[in-house]
Amino acid sequence: MANNLISDAVLVKNYIEGDESALSILIERHQSKIYGFIYTKIQDRDICDDVFQDTFIKVIKTLKSKSYNEEGKFLPWVMRIAHNLIIDYFRKSKKMPMQRDNEEYSVFSYLTDTNLNVEDQIILDQVEYDLSRLIDELPDDQKEVLQMRIYQDLSFKEIADATGVSINTALGRMRYALMNLRKVIEKNQIILTN
Amino acid sequence: MAKLYSKQKLAGQSMLPKKETIAFILNYSKALSIKKIGKMSFEIIAN
């Protein structure tokens, strides 16, 4: 009860001089009013707690840096800080409005999972397996160029250097490789789509 | 007999911040010290 007798101004002075318990008394004394004030503006308890916390962080910094001058009263000053932080909060939330799902709008119509589902993955594996078997059937020189181009991602110049032929020959082999693949696929009516 | 709904303290919940919030503020206050050197001020948080 003795705490109630000490005025805010004395508590603030004591706090500035290093008495940490003075802050605890100040918070206990005014928390309900300050928190209630924040809650009337922001009806979300978690955000209210954040704003309340930020308010007192500002209070602590101002008092500890000794830039507080006791012109008015402590509580109106803290209320003003809280008020400014509430305005900041609404400014920020206006820039980044929170979207909630409703019947017309769903966040999942904008965000998609690009990973394949199990079925698609099985089909893709099958297609790749079929294709590798088809490539194995190609003549060696065509197969070599195609594998270097597609699987090793080499340029035709690099392929030409590696295989000891001209670039035009490498290009020609690639062309024949693709033509032969198409022929086999059409002949056997293989479906290579996912 | 009709229930006395008015006895339920729905509106009477006190508007107080969480205990954790208060504890954080008090700990922050204990940890923080601000030193002024010339025109500059340094915030030091004792961990």
Side-chain angles (χ1 to χ4, degrees):
Chain A
M1 284 297 110
N3 288 339
N4 289 334
L5 302 173
I6 311 168
S7 71
D8 286 355
V10 174
L11 286 169
V12 169
K13 190 170 155 284
N14 290 349
Y15 177 67
I16 292 170
E17 284 166 4
D19 180 8
E20 292 289 335
S21 64
L23 180 72
S24 162
I25 299 166
L26 282 167
I27 292 176
E28 205 177 311
R29 189 179 284 175
H30 299 301
Q31 60 177 347
S32 173
K33 279 181 195 156
I34 298 163
Y35 194 81
F37 170 70
I38 299 167
Y39 192 79
T40 56
K41 313 283 181 201
I42 306 168
Q43 275 96 26
D44 182 313
R45 292 205 76 138
D46 289 329
I47 297 165
C48 282
D49 272 280
D50 285 354
V51 174
F52 184 86
Q53 184 178 299
D54 289 348
T55 304
F56 272 93
I57 285 174
K58 280 213 160 173
V59 168
I60 289 164
K61 280 185 179 173
T62 311
L63 294 179
K64 290 218 171 191
S65 63
K66 298 188 173 64
S67 43
Y68 173 72
N69 50 350
E70 184 68 53
E71 282 175 353
K73 296 242 170 82
F74 176 74
L75 184 60
W77 172 62
V78 180
M79 290 289 215
R80 172 56 56 184
I81 294 173
H83 180 253
N84 290 341
L85 287 172
I86 291 165
I87 291 171
D88 285 353
Y89 163 74
F90 279 114
R91 276 200 194 126
K92 270 185 210 157
S93 59
K94 210 177 177 185
K95 275 182 197 160
M96 285 188 283
M98 193 172 81
Q99 295 285 359
R100 285 190 193 281
D101 279 10
N102 56 35
E103 283 169 15
E104 290 163 17
Y105 170 85
S106 166
V107 71
F108 292 110
S109 55
Y110 295 93
L111 289 175
T112 49
D113 182 5
T114 52
N115 287 335
L116 296 173
N117 62 29
V118 176
E119 190 189 353
D120 289 341
Q121 187 62 51
I122 291 170
I123 295 170
L124 184 69
D125 288 347
Q126 185 65 47
V127 167
E128 283 177 355
Y129 175 70
D130 288 347
L131 193 60
S132 71
R133 276 178 55 199
L134 291 175
I135 291 167
D136 276 342
E137 299 296 320
L138 290 172
D140 283 345
D141 55 347
Q142 293 172 20
K143 183 167 72 177
E144 188 183 33
V145 174
L146 187 131
Q147 282 174 335
M148 283 172 137
R149 181 74 197 110
I150 304 295
Y151 294 105
Q152 297 169 29
D153 202 26
L154 298 181
S155 68
F156 280 106
K157 173 144 196 345
E158 287 167 326
I159 295 167
D161 291 345
T163 52
V165 295
S166 69
I167 293 178
N168 278 336
T169 310
L171 282 165
R173 284 177 182 172
M174 181 72 185
R175 183 164 169 267
Y176 280 110
L178 294 174
M179 280 166 63
N180 284 334
L181 273 180
R182 281 203 192 98
K183 250 189 236 167
V184 178
I185 289 165
E186 275 168 27
K187 193 177 161 194
N188 297 298
Q189 295 187 331
I190 301 164
I191 299 163
L192 292 173
T193 51
N194 197 346
Chain B
M1 197 175 153
K3 284 180 185 172
L4 294 171
Y5 290 102
S6 58
K7 278 195 173 175
Q8 288 182 351
K9 280 187 171 181
L10 282 174
Q13 287 178 343
S14 58
M15 273 292 143
L16 291 176
K18 284 180 203 150
K19 280 180 186 167
E20 294 90 335
T21 309
I22 303 284
F24 174 84
I25 293 165
L26 294 175
N27 286 331
Y28 177 80
S29 166
K30 280 175 198 157
L32 180 76
S33 59
I34 296 178
K35 300 274 175 225
K36 275 196 173 178
I37 300 167
K39 285 183 180 175
M40 290 188 288
S41 70
F42 296 90
E43 288 175 14
I44 302 155
I45 307 250
N47 205 352

